[in-house]
Amino acid sequence: MFKTIADPADCEVRSVIRFLKANNVKPAEIHCQLVEIYGENVITDGMVRKWVRQFNDGSTNDHDEARRGRPSVVNDGLVAKLNAKIRENRRFTIRMLCDEFPQISKTVLHENVTNRLNYRKR
């Protein structure tokens, strides 16, 4: 038996599906081969069938499409304003910053203050 490959990239698995589909292998057999090589939790049979359908419809992209979503409101200019506001009053709280920057959520503010600006609680 072959040695299983742990944690394959999604695009790698889809490339294998695309290759086997080009060789006219049935979706059920593709799933069996994937499970044999990558392990039980690689991909479901239904997802294999979905990707085979997409490749039959002419898709050649092995990667996920860009997803729609809410764009980030935090940019470098806003981070600079945030930094300036913190330097005005070093005894700031996240709640005070929420009042000053209502367009940014409390969680995103905290993340930017700690990760991007590297401020810590003292």
Side-chain angles (χ1 to χ4, degrees):
M1 181 164 186
F2 303 107
K3 182 179 177 184
T4 59
I5 300 171
D7 297 326
D10 291 341
C11 59
E12 176 185 350
V13 174
R14 292 173 193 148
S15 295
V16 172
I17 293 170
R18 186 172 165 208
F19 173 78
L20 291 173
K21 181 232 151 268
N23 284 332
N24 295 322
V25 178
K26 293 185 182 343
E29 180 59 30
I30 292 173
H31 182 256
C32 289
Q33 289 183 27
L34 289 171
V35 168
E36 187 177 316
I37 297 299
Y38 293 110
E40 284 293 320
N41 296 325
V42 64
I43 192 170
T44 64
D45 185 49
M47 288 303 289
V48 170
R49 292 176 191 282
K50 175 190 162 219
W51 280 101
V52 167
R53 267 193 313 275
Q54 285 187 3
F55 292 136
N56 281 338
D57 292 341
S59 175
T60 58
N61 190 3
D62 296 343
H63 300 283
D64 285 329
E65 297 294 324
R67 293 185 178 147
R68 293 184 347 192
R70 185 175 179 180
S72 177
V73 296
V74 180
N75 56 28
D76 292 335
L78 199 55
V79 171
K81 288 179 186 176
L82 182 63
N83 194 25
K85 187 54 87 173
I86 291 170
R87 290 191 178 275
E88 271 179 30
N89 178 10
R90 293 295 219 153
R91 301 181 132 231
F92 72 93
T93 63
I94 297 296
R95 174 59 53 206
M96 289 167 55
L97 292 174
C98 283
D99 294 339
E100 294 290 328
F101 300 94
Q103 70 271 29
I104 306 174
S105 72
K106 183 178 176 183
T107 306
V108 173
L109 263 175
H110 184 269
E111 185 178 297
N112 279 281
V113 167
T114 57
N115 295 342
R116 282 180 88 170
L117 296 174
N118 295 319
Y119 287 109
R120 301 283 181 251
K121 184 177 179 181
R122 297 249 177 200

